[in-house]
Amino acid sequence: MRQSATHKEGRGPRTMDAGRLESLALRYVGKYATTRAKLRDYLLRKLREAEWQGPVAADIEGLVERISTLGYVDDRAFAVQRGAALERRGYGARRIGLAFRAAGIEAEDGDEALATAREGALEAALALARRRRLGPFASVPPDRPGRERAIATLVRAGHDPALARRIVSSAPDELPVEWP
C-alpha cells in the first residue's frame, strides 16, 4: 500500500542547517505580515522540531536582525497597519495596545499607532456601537441591565468608560459630536 506524501511514519528525524533555517524564515515573512518577535518564536519552534546539523549553533537573533535590516519585517509598519485594522473594527487604544504586546511589538514601534487610535477614539467606539446596535444605533433605549451590558461591551473593546457611558446614553439617532 502506498503512503501519502503527508504521512510521516518511516522518516528519520528532520534535520536543520543554516540554509534551511533561512529558507523557512524567508518563506514565513513572504507569506505572513509579522513582527520580529513572531518570526523569532516561529524559528525557535522549527528549531525545536528538528535536529540541528550545522557546524556552529543556530544564530536566530542574527537571522531575525538580518531579515529586519533587509526590510522584510518592520514592526513599526506592522503596528500602524494592525492598529488601523483594529480601530476600523471598533477597538480602542487599550485593546490595541494589548494586541501589540501579544505580537511582541516594542513600545516605541507602537507609539504612532496608539496615538492615532487615541485621536480616533470616538469614531472607533461609534463603529463598534453601530455594528453592535448600541446607544444611538439601538432601536429603543435599553433598560438598566442592557445599558450596563452595552457599556461593558465598549469597555472590553478598549474604550474609556466615560466615553462608553456617553455613547450608550445617547438617544437613538443622536450621535455624540466630539470627544476630548
Side-chain angles (χ1 to χ4, degrees):
M1 174 183 252
R2 186 179 165 153
Q3 293 181 353
S4 69
T6 58
H7 190 69
K8 294 183 181 179
E9 285 183 25
R11 289 188 191 175
R14 288 188 186 188
T15 60
M16 181 79 65
D17 62 6
R20 176 146 168 75
L21 192 64
E22 184 171 350
S23 175
L24 285 170
L26 291 172
R27 189 173 326 135
Y28 185 78
V29 299
K31 190 173 183 179
Y32 303 105
T34 191
T35 63
R36 294 166 54 100
K38 284 183 163 188
L39 175 61
R40 184 179 308 107
D41 291 345
Y42 170 77
L43 293 174
L44 286 170
R45 180 171 49 87
K46 289 299 182 182
L47 199 56
R48 281 192 307 270
E49 294 171 355
E51 185 178 311
W52 183 253
Q53 295 292 317
V56 294
D59 182 17
I60 297 222
E61 290 301 322
L63 180 57
V64 170
E65 183 63 35
R66 191 168 69 245
I67 287 176
S68 179
T69 301
L70 291 171
Y72 296 137
V73 175
D74 184 350
D75 285 1
R76 186 175 303 264
F78 180 89
V80 168
Q81 177 270 331
R82 179 60 56 94
L86 291 171
E87 191 176 349
R88 282 190 304 272
R89 290 179 55 201
Y91 291 104
R94 186 175 47 89
R95 183 76 179 268
I96 292 171
L98 290 173
F100 288 173
R101 271 185 285 201
I105 296 172
E106 299 290 328
E108 61 272 1
D109 290 328
D111 285 345
E112 179 184 341
L114 285 175
T116 302
R118 286 185 192 100
E119 290 171 12
L122 179 61
E123 292 82 16
L126 288 173
L128 180 62
R130 181 179 298 111
R131 202 172 79 235
R132 300 293 299 270
R133 295 187 177 123
L134 305 173
F137 305 102
S139 54
V140 294
D143 57 359
R144 184 181 173 115
R147 185 177 184 281
E148 290 172 2
R149 280 192 304 273
I151 291 170
T153 297
L154 289 166
V155 170
R156 276 192 310 272
H159 295 290
D160 183 81
L163 176 60
R165 281 190 293 278
R166 183 170 171 206
I167 288 174
V168 172
S169 298
S170 298
D173 296 325
E174 179 188 302
L175 293 175
V177 179
E178 62 183 60
W179 177 252

